[in-house]
Amino acid sequence: TQLLEQSPQFLSIQEGENLTVYCNSSSVFSSLQWYRQEPGEGPVLLVTVVTGGEVKKLKRLTFQFGDARKDSSLHITAAQPGDTGLYLCAGPGSGGSYIPTFGRGTSLIVHP
Amino acid sequence: GAGVSQSPSNKVTEKGKDVELRCDPISGHTALYWYRQSLGQGLEFLIYFQGNSAPDKSGLPSDRFSAERTGGSVSTLTIQRTQQEDSAVYLCARGAVVNTGELFFGEGSRLTVL
């Protein structure tokens, strides 16, 4: 089983601060997805990273895939209250499975 | 939206009752997944449907859980003789048209078993 460990588990910050959350594994992933889930909603796909060392930007969000494709990070610049939510990373299951496996997520609260 | 409708959005039931949760994805997507999300836990895979292939039921936690998909579209997750530990949000997702691992989720069905 390919496990994804996310850290920190919880993060509470003030509006305008920067933050980074991490998604780590001992296994190599062919790709990783990041999702954001707001209370009472299903997770919403933010990005997919595929290539080792890849960096993708989505407005104030910067996603990076590690060179060895075992880890990924999400950096948010000048966080806003609208960034509040649960950030989940996910990747393919072991053995080429089509069943994505998810980390437990980082719960982010941005205070105005 | 994500093109996945789930109903009911909330369900409160008594221990021992059966419940049915429905997932209705937009047409043209053959991959459909059910996950369970409990408080403080990650997303737990339950079952996966892909086209006409036999579903992957490896995530179903007990024989009280079953799911079917009719006509390659609507799916129903049934929980028999519900227990308090079944309380969770049940999420349905469709896969991308080209299997990239990307999932598009419905808003979930919150089940509370009293």
Side-chain angles (χ1 to χ4, degrees):
Chain A
T1 302
Q2 303 203 109
L3 296 177
L4 289 166
E5 301 286 342
Q6 291 193 245
S7 61
Q9 187 176 358
F10 299 101
L11 195 53
S12 179
I13 63 171
Q14 294 296 127
E15 182 175 2
E17 294 184 16
N18 301 331
L19 67 118
T20 302
V21 298
Y22 301 92
C23 174
N24 296 302
S25 176
S26 58
S27 303
V28 175
F29 283 87
S30 57
S31 67
L32 279 179
Q33 283 79 37
W34 283 93
Y35 296 81
R36 178 170 64 213
Q37 183 179 22
E38 298 183 16
E41 305 284 332
V44 175
L45 178 68
L46 296 175
V47 78
T48 295
V49 288
V50 178
T51 305
E54 181 177 7
V55 176
K56 282 192 173 179
K57 292 191 175 183
L58 186 65
K59 297 183 181 179
R60 294 175 294 98
L61 279 59
T62 301
F63 304 85
Q64 185 163 4
F65 202 14
D67 290 343
R69 292 186 286 129
K70 291 183 177 181
D71 55 85
S72 181
S73 63
L74 159 58
H75 181 80
I76 301 179
T77 303
Q80 299 178 359
D83 296 325
T84 292
L86 179 68
Y87 288 83
L88 295 158
C89 66
S94 58
S97 168
Y98 288 126
I99 300 169
T101 185
F102 284 78
R104 291 195 173 191
T106 292
S107 180
L108 171 66
I109 298 175
V110 182
H111 300 278
Chain B
V4 178
S5 296
Q6 291 190 246
S7 61
S9 55
N10 280 287
K11 175 71 176 180
V12 180
T13 191
E14 293 180 346
K15 177 182 173 181
K17 300 285 189 182
D18 297 351
V19 298
E20 284 190 352
L21 307 176
R22 177 186 170 102
C23 174
D24 192 354
I26 61 174
S27 61
H29 297 271
T30 60
L32 187 146
Y33 302 77
W34 283 96
Y35 284 83
R36 177 169 71 175
Q37 186 175 32
S38 303
L39 191 63
Q41 302 295 317
L43 270 66
E44 175 189 6
F45 165 73
L46 297 176
I47 189 168
Y48 163 59
F49 296 91
Q50 174 63 56
N52 295 321
S53 302
D56 183 332
K57 305 179 181 180
S58 60
L60 295 178
S62 78
D63 58 8
R64 295 186 296 105
F65 288 72
S66 63
E68 63 177 14
R69 190 177 186 192
T70 55
S73 182
V74 173
S75 178
T76 302
L77 177 68
T78 301
I79 308 173
Q80 296 179 309
R81 304 181 302 282
T82 52
Q83 303 294 313
Q84 288 184 332
E85 60 263 29
D86 299 335
S87 296
V89 176
Y90 290 82
L91 292 161
C92 177
R94 62 174 176 86
V97 174
V98 176
N99 198 338
T100 58
E102 297 172 341
L103 299 183
F104 301 91
F105 287 87
E107 295 192 348
S109 292
R110 178 176 295 279
L111 174 65
T112 303
V113 183
L114 302 177

